[in-house]
Amino acid sequence: MRSETNANSSPAEKLSVSPSNQSTRSSECRDVFDDNVASHKIHYKTLSWQFVACLMVSEIVSNGILSLPSALAVVGILPAIILIIFLGAFGLFTAKLLIDFKLNHPNVHNMGDAGFLMWGGFARELLSVGTIIFAISATGSLLLTGQQALSTLSDYRVCSIYLVIICGVVTFAISLPRTLNRLTWLAFLSGFAITLSGVLAMIGASLNPVPGRVLNLTVTTNFYEAFLAITNPVFAYAGHFIFFILISEMEKPRDAMKAACCLQGFATTFYVVFSVVMYAFIGNSIRSPALLSLPPVWAKVTFGIALVNFLITGGILIHTAAKTIFIRLFRHTHHIYSHTILGWTTWCILCFTAVVIAVLFSIAIPIFSYLIGISASLFAAWYTYGLAGFFWIHDTYHLKGGMAAIRKRTWGFALAALTILTGAFICVAGTYVSIKLIADAYAVGLVGKPFAC
């Protein structure tokens, strides 16, 4: 006769019933944040799905969108549009798999926790380090774009090193709140800023079309050039690595899919419209970021508005990197929920260190802009696409009946396998293209010097 405990157990609790796994079950089924304790001074599970959508939009629809129009110049309008729409739909599918995994395992706070659950200690360290590296690298990229914005606004009269440091200071200040709900209105402002900047850029391009511009519906090119171009739309959706952290602070985690739908619907539509309009009025001469192709006045206005997004998104990413370590150090201790000296000191040090590393990467490594591509290929390809397939296989096997359950779900397994293969392909091809880019840059003398203005 089945026990009452087993009959009413949650999916996560059914992973194992052996005595040797009781501690694992208990840890896995316990939510990462215990917010029902009256004595807690800091509460985390306060986010609505609307504000989570704002955080997602702010983090994903950022400076990546400014590189998308240049992809149309390389592969043509039609292939680029098809790719952007496909990746948007595929990103929504992988988001669904990721959200389902999180709901089944409440104690998963980040990709490192997911790796530990599926493969053990080494996977936890690898995926945790990958999360931190990618978050800091992406912040470094935003700092460089912020510096580019400030350089445009100042007519390149100020040393770029100082501008990066200024952006770093603001980013550090934004990252300091311990809970994400303190960043929600900033995230809304960030999403509004990048949207307004894009709309004004399209207006500026339409009012100042490039005479004699060349437009291509399709373009014949080699694999290297084609994949180099499509990395822009591929990594424009690379924000899934933060989803576990966002969902962990939701008041109603089961509403996470609503936020993901809002994100992917808005991002895909905006990506297509912005890319096509900018390319249509500028043509194959369009630069990356696209705002540099606008007349000086329009470039200053749009860069000035977009700068708000660059700084706030950088703060959210630094917050992500710091929280990955902070939760690892103090999970289920009073330092998480109380204003302790140790807790706040550690938090400030983590945020400050992450920003300093991002700033140093930006100004001290001449090939940093190329290394961002390697970082995205090695980690974002898996976080956004590949790992979702493993999440589906793991939970189907452990929660729904082992191999028999997988065999009954042929289409589900096929799609899961496709996500894994997609992640592997993007990882390998993206790394190859990034390394070749570095070699080519050195060959033609495009690599500058460290700490150069």
Side-chain angles (χ1 to χ4, degrees):
M1 180 176 179
R2 188 174 57 175
S3 69
E4 182 178 344
T5 301
N6 286 339
N8 296 292
S9 58
S10 67
E13 289 172 322
K14 295 176 183 177
L15 282 173
S16 173
V17 294
S18 63
S20 61
N21 288 324
Q22 291 297 320
S23 60
T24 302
R25 286 173 48 206
S26 176
S27 174
E28 183 180 322
C29 299
R30 184 180 181 186
D31 200 302
V32 64
F33 294 120
D34 299 322
D35 261 17
N36 294 323
V37 180
S39 61
H40 289 170
K41 303 300 182 183
I42 302 176
H43 295 276
Y44 293 86
K45 300 180 75 63
T46 57
L47 293 177
S48 66
W49 70 264
Q50 291 91 343
F51 277 126
V52 169
C54 289
L55 286 161
M56 289 179 175
V57 168
S58 174
E59 187 255 339
I60 291 181
V61 185
S62 189
N63 69 337
I65 190 176
L66 304 182
S67 302
L68 287 178
S70 63
L72 277 66
V74 178
V75 299
I77 298 175
L78 187 59
I81 291 176
I82 292 174
L83 181 66
I84 291 171
I85 295 174
F86 168 76
L87 289 173
F90 198 35
L92 182 60
F93 169 71
T94 56
K96 174 67 165 60
L97 299 185
L98 185 151
I99 290 168
D100 288 344
F101 186 84
K102 167 62 180 175
L103 294 178
N104 288 333
H105 309 283
N107 202 38
V108 170
H109 175 259
N110 51 62
M111 286 293 177
D113 290 344
F116 179 72
L117 178 63
M118 293 191 295
W119 299 302
F122 177 77
R124 175 172 60 185
E125 307 305 334
L126 178 64
L127 296 181
S128 295
V129 169
T131 297
I132 296 165
I133 291 176
F134 183 65
I136 293 177
S137 297
T139 302
S141 176
L142 288 164
L143 293 178
L144 285 177
T145 311
Q147 169 264 309
Q148 203 165 34
L150 291 175
S151 294
T152 302
L153 291 170
S154 63
D155 293 320
Y156 298 89
R157 295 175 181 172
V158 182
C159 177
S160 60
I161 293 178
Y162 301 146
L163 299 181
V164 171
I165 293 174
I166 291 171
C167 290
V169 171
V170 177
T171 297
F172 169 67
I174 292 172
S175 71
L176 282 176
R178 289 260 293 271
T179 59
L180 285 168
N181 73 309
R182 300 289 185 181
L183 299 175
T184 50
W185 285 107
L186 285 176
F188 175 80
L189 176 62
S190 173
F192 176 78
I194 195 64
T195 304
L196 178 60
S197 176
V199 170
L200 291 177
M202 289 186 284
I203 294 173
S206 66
L207 294 177
N208 301 274
V210 175
R213 58 192 177 279
V214 177
L215 305 176
N216 294 305
L217 188 62
T218 61
V219 176
T220 301
T221 185
N222 56 44
F223 171 81
Y224 171 72
E225 295 292 339
F227 192 85
L228 179 60
I230 68 173
T231 53
N232 292 328
V234 166
F235 295 131
Y237 290 105
H240 287 41
F241 78 106
I242 197 177
F243 283 10
F244 284 148
I245 294 174
L246 294 178
I247 299 170
S248 294
E249 298 193 30
M250 288 186 69
E251 185 177 6
K252 298 178 180 179
R254 292 195 175 278
D255 287 341
M257 198 60 201
K258 297 178 183 178
C261 288
C262 287
L263 163 68
Q264 297 300 143
F266 173 78
T268 302
T269 302
F270 192 41
Y271 286 171
V272 170
V273 173
F274 180 79
S275 301
V276 171
V277 171
M278 294 296 289
Y279 179 68
F281 288 105
I282 297 174
N284 286 342
S285 63
I286 193 164
R287 301 168 65 184
S288 179
L291 303 184
L292 292 175
S293 299
L294 297 172
V297 173
W298 285 95
K300 289 183 179 181
V301 171
T302 52
F303 257 132
I305 296 172
L307 179 62
V308 175
N309 171 269
F310 305 152
L311 297 175
I312 294 175
T313 302
I316 294 172
L317 291 173
I318 291 297
H319 181 103
T320 299
K323 186 162 280 184
T324 299
I325 301 175
F326 189 77
I327 296 299
R328 178 73 176 274
L329 292 174
F330 299 118
R331 185 188 294 252
H332 298 312
T333 70
H334 70 285
H335 297 293
I336 295 287
Y337 307 102
S338 302
H339 297 287
T340 64
I341 294 177
L342 177 60
W344 271 108
T345 301
T346 303
W347 177 255
C348 291
I349 289 175
L350 290 173
C351 292
F352 180 76
T353 302
V355 170
V356 168
I357 294 173
V359 169
L360 289 177
F361 279 177
S362 303
I363 63 180
I365 303 178
I367 61 171
F368 176 66
S369 59
Y370 302 104
L371 293 180
I372 295 170
I374 295 179
S375 172
S377 299
L378 291 176
F379 299 111
W382 288 108
Y383 296 152
T384 304
Y385 302 108
L387 285 178
F390 287 115
F391 294 156
W392 184 91
I393 292 173
H394 176 275
D395 278 5
T396 300
Y397 180 85
H398 288 283
L399 303 182
K400 298 181 179 179
M403 287 303 301
I406 293 177
R407 284 192 292 268
K408 290 178 181 178
R409 295 165 172 82
T410 305
W411 283 106
F413 178 76
L415 289 173
L418 177 63
T419 66
I420 296 171
L421 293 175
T422 300
F425 172 74
I426 295 173
C427 176
V428 174
T431 303
Y432 162 75
V433 167
S434 298
I435 293 175
K436 190 175 187 306
L437 268 177
I438 295 174
D440 292 345
Y442 273 108
V444 298
L446 292 178
V447 179
K449 296 180 180 180
F451 301 103
C453 288

